[in-house]
């Protein structure tokens, strides 16, 4: 019951905002509605209400409001989308026009999965929203922590089972290779079969190692750390990890030397290394001068923001949305563990946030926000 009342209250406030006299409130409400459309499961009636208002606001006298509408329309799953976008696609204001065009373009790029996300994902999202409504943000976070823990536990059990089989298999293949070496006249076809089998076992072992790293839970304490040396070490390790970094790659720092944070040093290093490795890899084969910028500055009294940007290949809208998912890779020999692990280290271990902005052909920026001090979890 309480939940229903809360939802009704929030919904009323949102709709009142969309109908507000002063345009600033209207614009704010449009942005909130856009967020809801993207992240919440909202019923068809509310979608209808929002769609009708968006259509009306697409002709609002203030261009700022129209621009927000152009942006917020992206995830509107209603037939009025077309009527609303048609109103502003030729808007007199350039910003509005540009935003509307972008929305239209992104809309066509969105996969079906995004517009009608699959039932399973929807269900989980619904459960989490429900939990948050009833018991607050902390409950949502706790549920995510538990889910993550169970996932890790399952993967670790599977890991040990598979390793038990893979290790002797690897050894057997090595023995076989040695023995065949001494036998005269072995057909080259057999040798190449053996080589391929060894390659597969190696790949499997690498995947297993990635899985193990991903599911290893943080051990050790948080310690006070100067940020600059951590970043420098991450950069050094990242570059030494890469066989052929682009010639002429410049890594530029802009890190305030006085910044100190509480962190689990080795985990934080791992996260930053993964991000820098991706940046270096994104710059591979670049015509122009490859450049990576690492900056860190105080964001507020309680948080620091670290950004790692590159002018590499960048990502399409769709790649950007997927890159944070486990096993998602855009590389021929990628594993898709780097970003998910970095996100987990930053968000679950360190209570921070990791966000990514990217433009295809232009570059990528990864922004990490971390608290200066770690609050010990009491539950
Ligand atoms: N800085 C970046 N520039 C362009 N693409 C990136 C960048 N960082 C990550 N990506 C994309 O995200 C994907 C997932 O990255 P990651 O999880 O580290 O896995 P992997 O590097 O093994 O592919 C990459 O394959 C790449 O397509
Ligand atoms: Mg990577």
């Amino acid at each position: 019951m309480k939940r229903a009342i809360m939802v009704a209250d929030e919904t009323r406030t949102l709709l009142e905002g969309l109908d507000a006299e002063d345009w600033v409130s209207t614009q704010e409400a449009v942005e909130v509605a856009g967020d809801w459309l993207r992240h919440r499961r909202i019923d068809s009636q509310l979608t209808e209400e929002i769609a009708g208002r968006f259509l009306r606001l697409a002709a609002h006298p203030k261009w700022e409001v129209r621009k927000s509408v152009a942006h917020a329309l992206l995830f509107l799953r209603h037939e009025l989308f077309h009527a609303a976008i048609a109103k502003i696609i030729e808007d007199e204001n350039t910003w509005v026009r540009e935003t509307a065009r972008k929305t239209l373009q992104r809309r066509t790029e969105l996969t079906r999965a995004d517009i009608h996300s699959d039932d399973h994902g929807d269900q989980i999202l619904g459960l989490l929203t429900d939990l948050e409504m009833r018991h607050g943000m902390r409950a949502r976070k706790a549920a995510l922590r538990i889910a993550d823990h169970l996932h890790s536990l399952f993967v670790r059990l599977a890991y040990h089972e598979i390793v038990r089989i893979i290790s002797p298999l690897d050894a057997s293949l090595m023995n076989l290779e040695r023995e065949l070496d001494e036998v005269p006249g072995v057909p080259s076809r057999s040798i190449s079969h053996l080589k391929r089998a060894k390659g597969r076992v190696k790949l499997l072992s690498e995947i297993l190692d990635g899985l193990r790293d991903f599911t290893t839970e943080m051990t050790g304490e948080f310690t006070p750390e100067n940020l600059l040396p951590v970043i420098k070490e991450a950069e050094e390790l990242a570059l030494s990890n890469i066989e052929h970094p682009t010639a002429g790659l410049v890594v530029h720092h802009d890190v305030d030397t006085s910044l100190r944070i509480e962190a689990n040093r080795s985990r934080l290093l791992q996260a930053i290394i993964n991000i820098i490795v991706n940046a270096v890899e994104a710059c591979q084969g670049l015509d122009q001068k490859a450049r990576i910028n690492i900056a860190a500055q105080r964001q507020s009294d309680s948080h620091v923001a670290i950004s790692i940007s590159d002018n590499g290949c960048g990502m399409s809208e769709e790649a950007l949305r997927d890159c944070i998912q486990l096993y998602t890779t855009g590389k021929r020999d990628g594993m898709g563990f780097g970003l998910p692990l970095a996100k987990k280290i930053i968000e679950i271990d360190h209570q921070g946030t990791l966000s990514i902005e990217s433009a295809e052909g232009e570059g990528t920026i990864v922004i990490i926000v971390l608290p200066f001090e770690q609050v010990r979890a009491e539950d």
Side-chain angles (χ1 to χ4, degrees), residues 278-279 282 310 313-315 323 328-331 334-340 364:
N278 281 342
D310 64 73
C313 61
M315 280 178 267
C323 69
T328 299
T329 181
K331 298 166 196 165
M335 293 281 174
F337 286 118
L339 281 181
T364 301

Side-chain angles (χ1 to χ4, degrees), residues 139-272:
R140 184 192 181 106
K141 283 198 168 153
L144 281 173
R145 265 211 309 276
I146 294 168
D148 184 65
H149 180 75
L150 291 176
H151 173 246
S152 301
L153 198 65
F154 171 75
V155 172
R156 275 205 303 277
L157 288 174
Y159 170 84
H160 287 297
E161 283 306 308
I162 302 171
V163 163
R164 256 173 10 125
I165 299 167
I166 293 284
S167 304
L169 180 61
D170 196 25
S172 302
L173 287 175
M174 261 161 58
N175 287 340
L176 184 61
E177 191 177 34
R178 213 173 23 234
E179 283 165 22
L180 284 185
D181 247 5
E182 289 160 14
V183 181
V186 178
S188 62
R189 203 161 35 104
S190 308
I191 304 282
S192 82
H193 279 316
L194 178 62
K195 288 230 152 65
R196 213 168 308 151
K198 277 183 66 183
R200 298 263 157 83
V201 167
K202 183 163 172 274
L203 182 67
L204 204 51
S205 306
E206 281 170 12
I207 294 179
L208 284 171
D209 287 346
L211 265 181
R212 187 202 46 214
D213 288 348
F214 182 76
T215 54
T216 299
E217 292 191 358
M218 187 176 81
T219 52
E221 286 296 306
F222 293 110
T223 44
E225 300 290 341
N226 286 319
L227 202 51
L228 184 60
V230 174
I231 287 177
K232 280 194 168 153
E233 189 175 342
E235 178 196 326
E236 227 176 271
L237 289 168
L239 288 173
S240 67
N241 242 334
I242 294 187
E243 282 176 22
H244 310 288
T246 314
L249 172 73
V250 178
V251 184
H252 179 79
H253 289 115
D254 186 8
V255 179
D256 187 341
T257 48
S258 68
L259 288 171
R260 281 168 69 79
I261 61 166
E262 262 188 332
N264 184 296
R265 194 172 203 278
S266 60
R267 295 282 280 182
L268 184 60
L269 260 180
Q270 172 89 70
I272 301 177

Side-chain angles (χ1 to χ4, degrees), residues 274-283 308-316 319-320 322-342 356-359 363-366:
N274 290 0
I275 295 166
I276 299 179
V277 166
N278 281 342
V280 178
E281 287 174 345
C283 291
I308 297 153
S309 58
D310 64 73
N311 61 352
C313 61
M315 280 178 267
S316 69
L320 176 62
D322 293 341
C323 69
I324 214 76
Q325 305 290 335
L326 200 53
Y327 313 123
T328 299
T329 181
K331 298 166 196 165
R332 211 158 44 98
D333 49 2
M335 293 281 174
F337 286 118
L339 281 181
L341 178 56
I356 310 171
E357 291 166 24
S358 189
T364 301
I365 175 163
V366 179

